[in-house]
């Protein structure tokens, strides 16, 4: 976990920006010794958002499976995709 003060962000933005890009993880910004903000590079943020979207899709698929939705083997899934791409 990377923690920096708001003073460091204000006085040395370039270093904080470089750190965010180099480490590709959130930087926690404190104000008066208390947590205040989280800063991260756009690339790291977008990757995190994609991971959250994927997790949500996997959770929805698992919920559908538990509710009795049909399940397919890997081979069945490949055949279904091939059929879609051949006709699409």
């Amino acid at each position: 976990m990377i923690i920096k003060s708001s003073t460091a962000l204000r006085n040395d933005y370039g270093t904080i920006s470089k750190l965010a890009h180099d480490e590709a993880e959130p930087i926690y910004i404190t104000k008066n010794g208390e947590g205040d903000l989280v800063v991260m590079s756009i690339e790291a943020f977008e990757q995190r958002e994609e991971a959250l979207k994927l997790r949500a899709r996997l959770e929805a698929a698992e919920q559908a499976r538990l509710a009795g939705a049909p399940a397919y083997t890997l081979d069945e899934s490949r055949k279904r995709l091939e059929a879609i791409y051949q006709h699409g």
Side-chain angles (χ1 to χ4, degrees):
M1 178 183 310
I2 303 171
I3 301 173
K4 297 289 182 182
S5 70
S6 60
T7 302
L9 179 63
R10 187 172 47 252
N11 293 338
D12 200 5
Y13 175 85
T15 299
I16 302 294
S17 176
K18 181 175 179 352
L19 184 62
H21 288 278
D22 291 348
E23 298 299 322
E25 67 178 78
I27 299 172
Y28 296 83
I29 305 296
T30 62
K31 182 176 180 183
N32 299 324
E34 300 282 328
D36 186 45
L37 299 171
V38 175
V39 177
M40 60 193 332
S41 70
I42 289 174
E43 295 85 5
F45 175 78
E46 289 173 348
Q47 286 178 343
R48 187 180 203 97
E49 288 296 302
E50 287 302 315
L52 290 172
K53 288 176 189 175
L54 176 58
R55 183 178 293 166
R57 288 194 303 267
L58 290 170
E59 177 66 24
E62 179 64 6
Q63 291 299 321
R65 184 191 68 79
L66 292 173
Y72 302 97
T73 66
L74 183 57
D75 286 337
E76 290 170 331
S77 296
R78 283 185 180 138
K79 288 176 185 171
R80 289 174 55 126
L81 287 171
E82 287 171 1
I84 289 170
Y85 286 113
Q86 288 174 357
H87 295 102

